[in-house]
Amino acid sequence: MARPTKKGLDYFPLDVNFLSDIKVRRIVKACGSESVHILIALLAYIYRDDGYHVRWNDDIAFLVADEVGTKEGSVVEVTNKALQVDFFDKDMFDNYNILTSKGIQDRYVLATKERKEVVLEEKYLLTKEVNRSNIIVMPRHNSVNGLSNSQRKEK
C-alpha cells in the first residue's frame, strides 16, 4: 500500500526580522509580549496540518492557548488583531473562516519544491507562485460531483 501524501511541513522558516515586522510590532503593542508565542503557535498549526492554511474554530483557539499556557480569550484577541493589521488575510477569514496569508503560502510553495506532488485548493490561493510541474491546483467547482452528472450506476 502506498504511503499517504504529506500535506504539511515538519518545520517552517521564520524570518530573522519577524520581531521587527511592523505587523508583529503592532500586535505585540496591542496584545502584550505573549502574543509572539501565540503567533508562532498559530503559524505552527498552519504549516503542520494543511501547510498553507488552517480552519479557524474554537478548538484551534483552545489548543493554542493550552500549548502556550494562556487563556483562549488571549488567542482570540491576538488573532483578531492579526487580521486587523493584515498579518492574516481578512478576506480569506471572512469568506472561508481560514487563517492564511500570501507570505505563508509563498513560504509553503518554496518549502515543498522537492515534493513529488503538492495539491492546493484554488479558492484559498493568494500566491501566484504555482507554476511548477509538481503543483496541482484543485478548481473551485468539481463538475464530476455536480448535480447535472449524467452517469448512473447499473448492475
Side-chain angles (χ1 to χ4, degrees), residues 3-155:
R3 182 173 35 178
T5 305
K6 183 175 180 69
K7 290 171 89 176
L9 302 175
D10 292 330
Y11 58 91
F12 64 93
L14 186 66
D15 296 340
V16 294
N17 64 347
F18 179 78
L19 295 174
S20 301
D21 185 280
I22 188 70
K23 297 171 186 178
V24 175
R25 292 177 75 173
R26 287 180 185 264
I27 295 167
V28 170
K29 187 77 167 173
C31 304
S33 60
E34 76 175 354
S35 58
V36 173
H37 298 128
I38 293 170
L39 288 173
I40 292 173
L42 286 168
L43 289 172
Y45 273 97
I46 291 168
Y47 287 117
R48 176 178 33 227
D49 295 338
D50 285 330
Y52 65 103
H53 74 277
V54 70
R55 185 156 307 283
W56 175 254
N57 57 36
D58 292 338
D59 290 341
I60 294 295
F62 168 77
L63 292 170
V64 169
D66 190 53
E67 198 170 281
V68 173
T70 190
K71 297 176 182 174
E72 289 178 60
S74 298
V75 176
V76 171
E77 178 187 5
V78 169
T79 304
N80 288 336
K81 186 64 176 178
L83 288 163
Q84 181 186 350
V85 299
D86 205 31
F87 184 87
F88 297 123
D89 189 270
K90 181 123 174 70
D91 290 336
M92 286 290 160
F93 184 80
D94 291 341
N95 294 329
Y96 302 108
N97 208 35
I98 64 167
L99 297 177
T100 191
S101 72
K102 184 182 181 309
I104 289 168
Q105 292 182 12
D106 287 343
R107 283 186 284 282
Y108 177 72
V109 167
L110 182 63
T112 58
K113 69 181 176 190
E114 298 296 322
R115 289 195 182 165
K116 186 183 260 184
E117 183 178 274
V118 179
V119 178
L120 305 172
E121 292 186 56
E122 183 180 33
K123 65 182 176 182
Y124 299 149
L125 284 185
L126 296 169
T127 184
K128 303 295 183 216
E129 304 296 321
V130 293
N131 54 357
R132 289 197 330 242
S133 61
N134 69 333
I135 294 179
I136 298 168
V137 178
M138 298 299 290
R140 291 178 186 264
H141 301 289
N142 188 347
S143 61
V144 173
N145 294 331
L147 296 174
S148 62
N149 191 352
S150 61
Q151 294 182 355
R152 57 179 183 240
K153 185 177 177 180
E154 295 182 9
K155 288 186 179 180

